[in-house]
């Protein structure tokens, strides 16, 4: 049994290699000088290597055999110089290739990471973190292997190959053709192996991604696993994924070894054919023995680069499979590519009063949800014909049953998701026309689930923003978080562990609240921002915030009605529809949903 | 060849030779495929085993271990470090065997030709060993740094991706990307240090081989000229020496693999050797059935030295309903969490049915407790599977029953896929209240003797809360129940309520007693009902 096939990263389908390589080559472009240099080094290194045996031959033939000692020191010295030169050049080549590889990996990584940060929120509803992490790390790392294996020298190999083919044809057409009879078979093998290998590699990459997704989740939920004694079940599932990864890898190894062996075997077959055919020719007297031997040597040379290429072949296929995944992710539409998103950097923001650079943007007067319909998936509408207007300086409260769509309203306002039908207007303009950056900059949200980063408490409040950094202490004070912070051994510099695990849930919520306050936004959205806070602290927050909220537009979601009682207007959402609207007094007088909720909460 | 050179001397045709060569080639190919696949498959199988062991280890480790590290770091160990180890085991092993065979064979032949010349030929090797030692140390050092930096990179990526909504809401994309760029840059730097060392080692090894040849050329050449050595021997000798060059280069490469493998194995061992503080007692007390009597005897506890909970003594009888209130950070979660031994407690502080919890079998202890954590963690599986997580092999009917008790069935009816709805990572596609109620349903399904609810209704509205509490009242039966809550409404019906403050119990009693006491509890109560009174007026 396994868990309904959730940890199943799709195995990315076929992509055209040419296009894939084309895109990859673009990443090499900034370093084209280095690429050319590393290519130029190749013949030099080859020359230095080939010259060594030649010097040895000279030494033997001209000196040792004939017993002439003079000149031998010079030859030895040259030989020594060649060794050093060869070493230096090889060093340079290795270093260059690695450098190229690392630079390209760096660029790809940063591109991937940046791209992930521009994807829409809905993408993350479907995609596990572990899988994305795998792309940024392991998938990119595979490309590094390609450079380490000296992929650039493929170009050299191909050139050498072409040269040798030319020489062979020139030397003896018939024998060459006999040799080349093995080529169709070789091509056939290489081609079938390519498809097989690629399929296997795709599977390998996807399986690794699944494994990492599962692992990441396991680590996050370890307390739950242990509390429910489900270690055995989790281990079973892990074993399934782990075995799938192992089994995906095995054929790759077999194909690789088989290809290598096939090339070796074919080269011998070619020699065999020549011996057979050429032998007959010699007997018939149409071929000299010397020519045959020389030809066999060329066959060896002919297969050397092919062997080299085949050794790199599986690395290449692995890299291509990784590239498919990397570019596949880079092709996922960015937020800014969403339909209707027109304003990009450089285009004047419609909200800025006057021209650009003329100081403060004009304040937002109204926010309007006009007949908004929204569904996360398909036709499951979560909001239905929702209308709402928030005016400047107003405190609007959103209450209702859980799952009613309150959080969804706040998400649509920050444009984490796009409305399905209808529109949201700020001062009469569709929010789709406002640059995301500006829109979100003006709205400060305290999310229902606070997220804390590893780093200091100070960092968690300011998130590294300079202006917010100035207000950290003040903000913490306003929400009453400073009391517990000052009690910590290092105060505001106390380290927060992953996801804030060394703080209580209420403390995390206070920090997340302080964060929103420190950013001093024009519109404040509080989504159950004090749900895990005790009553006394909550009162402190309310007192602290009165100054802050005065004159500030705010949208407050809360279950504890005491928090929303003093709102200018209260909207009750029921199953995605607006059920009631009015001030506390009006709604109480109406004796509807709100009234009943209120009665429930405050009965003794 | 001989056959061709002197045709007719032999009865075999060239075709026969051709076939012979082809046959030998095919046989060689088969052997090659076989040996290569066997070794490399073995590498993969070992990797699989290590990964299994690593995961099994993780499952046995306690929360203090996970709190100390980062998710991304562990992921990095499971993938990148394991890859290094596998490379060492597969390719490394394959080549070490190869190299040793070639070395031994070549040296034996060389010594048989001329021991003195052999000595000359290996003269540069001590130099090589010296360098190897030097470089090894540095490869080890830089490799360690590179692996650590890759782990830091992974952690940053993991955290940023998990925080995607927060990052967007506060427009922290650029700074996060910038920080990533810096980490990637640091990794690049370490990797280049490694590349540099590799770049030195490989040509250096090749040069050593060349240097040996040079010495042989000089010394041996002289001997040939002076007639001490035959030319044939000299040529054969240089031939064998040439055979050594490639394995020597490979040795440099293996050296690199070896150091990286060692570093990575060290990082894996750090996990494999970790031992949980919360460990099973070697001779656990026998348990039949846990009735649910919980006792704290002078419990003191701190996460890092200084005590957080101080001198807590409390006796909870089986079937009792205990309510816990207190300000943020007063230690409520810590108190109830300790009962499950998620964190280590000293002996003689917490007892269940009269037995120290450290003596109870861990499994039996946790089987007896249904726990609803303050933060509802759901797995990215279907909703049904998440609820069924409460008990292995729960039937659909039981899942539905639990969901009904937790007031979830109305929401499920609204999902087009019902219990088959995928809830996303950590349950992101559910509303906060739905997540919380799923976690409640999961715990209820477990049918435990002790039910612990840590602020279980913070994300639900008053009506749903009312309905859930109503449903739970019938479920409680004679289970021991501990409820932590900030809202007093959730504590209605508790037999005993304790007020925690700064890790101490400052008040305890029934609702009525505490109200009469007129202390902190009464103050909270007043606060929460203040508006009602204003309202009445
Ligand atoms: N894993 C941990 N490591 C270190 N310190 C911790 C850890 N968990 C909690 N703390 C600290 O211990 C104190 C008590 O935390 P606890 O979670 O028990 O509070 P709580 O009463 O449940 O608060 P809340 O009402 O906010 O849930 C807090 O100050 C918190 O910062
Ligand atoms: N990311 C999502 N993907 C799919 N469905 C979602 C997502 N987030 C919320 N929902 C569903 O939308 C409905 C409204 O959720 P939400 O707005 O969070 O409710 P609440 O009023 O409790 O804040 C719920 O039924 C919930 O399951
Ligand atoms: Mg919500
Ligand atoms: Mg708590």
């Amino acid at each position: 049994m396994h868990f309904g096939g959730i940890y199943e990263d799709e195995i990315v389908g076929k992509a055209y290699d040419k296009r894939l390589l084309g895109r990859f080559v673009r990443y090499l472009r900034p370093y084209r000088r280095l690429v050319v240099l590393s290519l130029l080094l190749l013949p030099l290194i080859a020359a230095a290597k080939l010259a060594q045996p030649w010097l040895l031959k000279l030494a033997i033939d001209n000196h040792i055999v004939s017993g002439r000692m003079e000149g031998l020191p010079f030859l030895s010295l040259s030989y020594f110089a060649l060794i050093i030169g060869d070493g230096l050049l090889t060093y340079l080549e290795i270093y260059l290739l690695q450098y190229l590889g690392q630079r390209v990996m760096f660029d790809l990584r940063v591109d991937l990471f940046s791209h992930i940060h521009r994807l829409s929120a809905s993408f993350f509803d479907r995609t596990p973190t572990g899988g994305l992490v795998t792309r940024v790390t392991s998938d990119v790392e595979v490309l590094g292997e390609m450079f380490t294996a000296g992929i650039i020298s493929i170009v050299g190999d191909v050139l050498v190959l072409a040269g040798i083919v030319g020489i062979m044809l020139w030397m003896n057409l018939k024998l060459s053709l006999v040799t080349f009879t093995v080529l169709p078979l070789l091509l056939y093998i290489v081609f079938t192996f390519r498809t097989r290998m690629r399929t296997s590699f795709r599977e390998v990459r996807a399986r690794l991604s699944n494994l990492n997704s599962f692992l990441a989740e396991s680590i996050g939920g370890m307390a739950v696993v242990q509390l429910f004694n489900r270690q055995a079940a989790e281990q079973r599932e892990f074993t399934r994924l782990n075995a799938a990864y192992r089994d995906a890898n095995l054929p790759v190894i077999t194909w690789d070894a088989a290809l290598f062996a096939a090339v070796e075997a074919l080269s011998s077959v070619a020699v065999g054919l020549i011996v057979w055919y050429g032998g007959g020719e010699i007997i018939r007297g149409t071929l000299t023995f010397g020519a045959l031997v020389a030809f066999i040597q060329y066959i060896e040379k002919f297969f050397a680069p092919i062997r080299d290429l085949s050794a790199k072949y599986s690395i290449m296929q692995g890299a291509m499979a990784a590239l498919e995944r990397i570019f596949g992710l880079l092709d996922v539409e960015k937020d800014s590519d969403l339909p209707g998103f027109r304003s990009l950097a450089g285009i004047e923001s419609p909200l800025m009063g006057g021209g650009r650079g003329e100081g403060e943007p004009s304040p937002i007067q109204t926010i309007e949800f006009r007949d908004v319909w929204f569904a996360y998936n398909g036709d499951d509408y979560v909001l239905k014909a929702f209308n709402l207007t928030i005016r400047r300086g107003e405190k609007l409260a959103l209450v209702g049953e859980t799952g009613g769509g309150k959080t969804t309203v706040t998400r649509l306002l920050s444009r984490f998701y796009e409305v399905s039908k209808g529109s949201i207007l700020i001062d009469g303009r569709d929010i789709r026309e406002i640059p995301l950056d500006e829109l979100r900059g003006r709205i400060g949200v305290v999310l229902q689930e606070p997220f804390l980063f590893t780093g200091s408490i100070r960092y968690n409040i300011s998130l590294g923003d300079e202006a917010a950094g100035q207000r950290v202490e003040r903000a913490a004070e306003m929400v009453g978080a400073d009391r517990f912070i000052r009690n910590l051994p290092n105060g505001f510099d106390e380290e927060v562990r992953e996801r804030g695990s060394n703080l209580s849930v209420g403390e995390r919520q206070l920090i997340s609240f302080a964060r929103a306050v420190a950013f001093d936004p024009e519109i404040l959205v509080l989504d159950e921002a004090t749900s895990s806070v005790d009553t006394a602290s909550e009162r402190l927050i309310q007192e602290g915030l009165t100054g802050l909220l005065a004159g500030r537009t705010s949208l407050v979601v809360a279950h504890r009605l005491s928090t929303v009682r003093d709102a200018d207007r209260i909207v009750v959402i029921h199953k995605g529809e607006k059920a009631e609207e009015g001030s506390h007094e009006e709604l109480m007088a109406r004796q509807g949903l709100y009234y009943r909720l209120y009665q429930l909460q405050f009965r003794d | 060849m001989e056959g061709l050179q002197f045709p007719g001397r032999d009865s075999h045709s060239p075709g026969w030779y051709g076939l012979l060569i082809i046959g030998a080639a095919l046989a060689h190919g088969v052997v090659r495929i076989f040996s290569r696949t066997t070794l490399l498959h073995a590498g993969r199988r070992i990797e699989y085993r290590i990964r299994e062991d690593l995961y099994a280890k993780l499952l046995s480790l306690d929360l203090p271990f996970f709190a100390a590290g980062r998710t991304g770091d562990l992921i990095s160990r499971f993938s990148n470090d394991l890859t290094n180890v596998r490379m060492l085991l597969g390719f490394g092993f394959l080549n070490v065997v190869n190299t040793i065979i070639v070395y031994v064979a070549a040296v034996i032949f060389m010594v048989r030709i001329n021991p003195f010349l052999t000595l000359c030929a290996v003269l540069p090797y001590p130099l090589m060993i010296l360098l190897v030692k030097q470089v090894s140390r540095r490869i080890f050092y830089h490799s360690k740094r590179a692996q650590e930096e890759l782990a830091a990179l992974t952690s940053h990526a993991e955290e940023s991706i998990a925080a995607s909504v927060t990052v967007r809401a506060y427009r922290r994309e650029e700074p996060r990307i910038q920080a990533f760029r810096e980490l990637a840059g640091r990794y690049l730097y370490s990797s280049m240090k490694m590349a540099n060392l590799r770049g030195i080692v490989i040509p250096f090894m090749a040069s050593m081989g060349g240097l040996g040849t040079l010495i042989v050329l000089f010394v041996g050449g002289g001997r040939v000229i002076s007639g001490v050595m035959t030319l044939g021997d000299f040529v054969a000798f240089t031939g064998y020496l040439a055979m050594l060059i490639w394995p020597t280069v490979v040795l440099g490469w293996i050296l690199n693999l070896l150091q990286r493998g060692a570093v990575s194995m060290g990082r894996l061992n750090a996990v494999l050797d970790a031992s949980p503080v919360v460990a099973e007692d070697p001779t656990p007390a026998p348990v039949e059935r846990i009735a649910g009597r919980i006792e704290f005897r002078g419990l003191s506890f701190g996460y890092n030295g200084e005590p957080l909970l101080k001198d807590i003594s409390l006796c909870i009888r089986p079937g009792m309903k205990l309510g816990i209130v207190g300000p943020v950070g007063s230690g409520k979660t810590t108190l109830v969490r300790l009962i499950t031994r998620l964190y280590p407690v000293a002996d003689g502080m917490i007892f269940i049915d009269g037995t120290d919890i450290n003596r109870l079998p861990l499994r039996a202890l946790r089987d007896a407790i249904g726990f609803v954590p303050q933060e509802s963690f759901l797995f990215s599986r279907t909703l049904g599977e998440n609820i069924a997580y409460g008990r292995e092999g729960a039937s659909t009917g039981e899942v539905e029953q639990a969901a009904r008790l937790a007031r979830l069935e109305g929401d499920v009816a609204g999902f087009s896929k019902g219990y088959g709805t995928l809830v996303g990572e950590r349950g992101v596609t559910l509303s906060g209240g739905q997540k919380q109620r799923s976690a409640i349903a999961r715990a209820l399904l477990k049918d435990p003797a002790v039910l612990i609810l840590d602020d279980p209704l913070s994300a639900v509205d008053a009506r749903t809360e009312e309905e859930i509490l109503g449903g739970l009242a019938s479920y409680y039966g004679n289970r021991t129940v501990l409820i932590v809550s900030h809202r007093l409404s959730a504590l209605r019906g508790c037999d005993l309520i304790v007020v925690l403050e700064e890790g101490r119990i400052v008040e305890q009693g029934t609702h009525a007693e505490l109200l009469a006491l007129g202390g902190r509890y009464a103050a909270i109560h007043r606060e929460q009902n203040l508006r009602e009174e204003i309202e009445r007026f």
Side-chain angles (χ1 to χ4, degrees), chain A residues 412-461:
Chain A
L412 291 180
L413 179 59
S414 294
R415 217 171 146 225
F416 287 129
Y417 295 83
E418 293 288 326
V419 295
S420 311
K421 285 185 235 165
S423 52
I424 301 173
L425 309 167
I426 290 187
D427 288 347
R429 281 184 187 269
D430 198 306
I431 58 166
R432 281 171 286 204
E433 291 173 12
I434 303 168
L436 267 183
D437 204 42
E438 191 193 329
L439 177 73
R440 291 179 186 162
R442 296 179 137 212
I443 302 173
V445 203
V446 181
L447 298 166
Q448 187 169 7
E449 320 238 319
F451 188 100
L452 263 57
F453 296 86
T454 33
S456 65
I457 291 204
R458 188 180 300 283
Y459 172 77
N460 270 289
I461 295 178

Side-chain angles (χ1 to χ4, degrees), chain B residues 377-450:
Chain B
F377 181 96
L378 300 184
F379 293 93
S380 57
R381 300 169 190 170
T382 66
L383 183 58
E385 279 167 335
N386 268 294
I387 298 174
Y389 204 76
R391 202 173 67 234
E392 192 127 36
S395 70
T396 324
E398 288 169 315
V399 167
E400 282 168 12
Q401 167 68 20
R404 208 165 10 253
L405 269 172
R407 288 283 141 201
L408 197 62
E409 88 276 32
D411 300 73
V412 177
F415 298 153
S416 54
K417 292 207 186 107
Y419 288 99
T421 308
L422 282 174
V423 302
E425 209 163 38
R426 286 171 187 254
V428 278
T429 66
L430 295 182
S431 82
Q434 287 165 345
K435 235 184 295 184
Q436 216 163 31
R437 283 174 288 148
S438 311
I440 296 177
R442 178 172 70 188
L444 296 184
L445 185 64
K446 196 172 177 181
D447 193 18
V450 177

Side-chain angles (χ1 to χ4, degrees), chain A residues 519-584:
Chain A
F519 274 77
D520 193 24
E522 191 177 336
I523 297 165
L524 193 61
V525 177
L526 309 176
D527 190 1
E528 302 190 29
T530 52
S531 60
S532 300
V533 169
D534 59 283
T535 321
S537 305
E538 198 180 8
R539 181 165 41 79
L540 280 180
I541 296 176
Q542 281 195 331
E543 283 164 10
L545 288 186
T546 37
L548 182 87
L549 287 182
R552 198 178 298 250
T553 316
S554 60
L555 179 61
V556 180
V557 179
H559 287 307
R560 281 190 235 164
L561 300 184
S562 54
T563 9
V564 303
R565 232 188 58 98
D566 59 341
D568 298 309
R569 218 143 31 91
I570 297 169
V571 170
V572 183
I573 296 191
H574 188 70
K575 293 197 174 15
E577 283 172 278
K578 187 161 78 181
E580 288 171 18
E581 180 172 358
S583 68
H584 175 70

Side-chain angles (χ1 to χ4, degrees), chain B residues 233-292:
Chain B
D233 274 354
F234 177 77
V235 173
F237 195 89
T238 42
Y240 287 126
L241 201 57
M243 269 174 64
L244 284 187
I245 294 188
W246 181 240
T248 309
V249 172
V250 170
L251 208 62
W253 181 66
I254 292 175
L255 178 77
N256 179 40
L257 278 186
L258 204 69
Q259 294 301 324
R260 288 203 334 183
V263 164
S264 290
M265 202 59 226
R267 284 169 56 80
L268 295 184
N269 277 335
V271 176
L272 289 173
D273 293 343
S275 53
V277 192
V278 178
E280 186 86 67
D281 191 282
T283 50
V287 268
E288 306 246 303
R289 221 188 59 80
I290 289 184

Side-chain angles (χ1 to χ4, degrees), chain A residues 7 91 118 129 141 217-218 226-227 230 239 402 437 445 449 498 508 535 539 602-603, chain B residues 52 55 59 61 71 170-171 174 187 196 375 380-381 389 425 435 437 446 492 527-528 532:
Chain A
Y7 306 104
Y91 166 76
R118 305 217 156 72
T129 313
E141 209 68 10
E217 192 175 68
S218 261
Q226 297 187 345
L227 283 173
R230 294 302 288 272
T239 303
T402 100
D437 204 42
V445 203
E449 320 238 319
E498 197 169 61
R508 282 179 232 169
T535 321
R539 181 165 41 79
F602 292 110
R603 75 155 204 226
Chain B
E52 287 288 301
Y55 188 71
L59 286 175
L61 287 169
T71 311
Y170 288 91
R171 298 182 301 154
E174 278 315 315
Y187 175 57
N196 187 26
E375 270 187 312
S380 57
R381 300 169 190 170
Y389 204 76
E425 209 163 38
K435 235 184 295 184
R437 283 174 288 148
K446 196 172 177 181
R492 233 175 288 134
E527 185 89 44
Q528 291 190 0
E532 185 197 17

Side-chain angles (χ1 to χ4, degrees), chain A residues 504-506, chain B residues 329 332-334 374 454-455 484 486:
Chain A
S504 88
V505 175
Chain B
K332 307 177 293 295
T333 300
T334 308
Q374 194 168 9
D454 190 356
D455 209 1
V484 176
H486 287 300

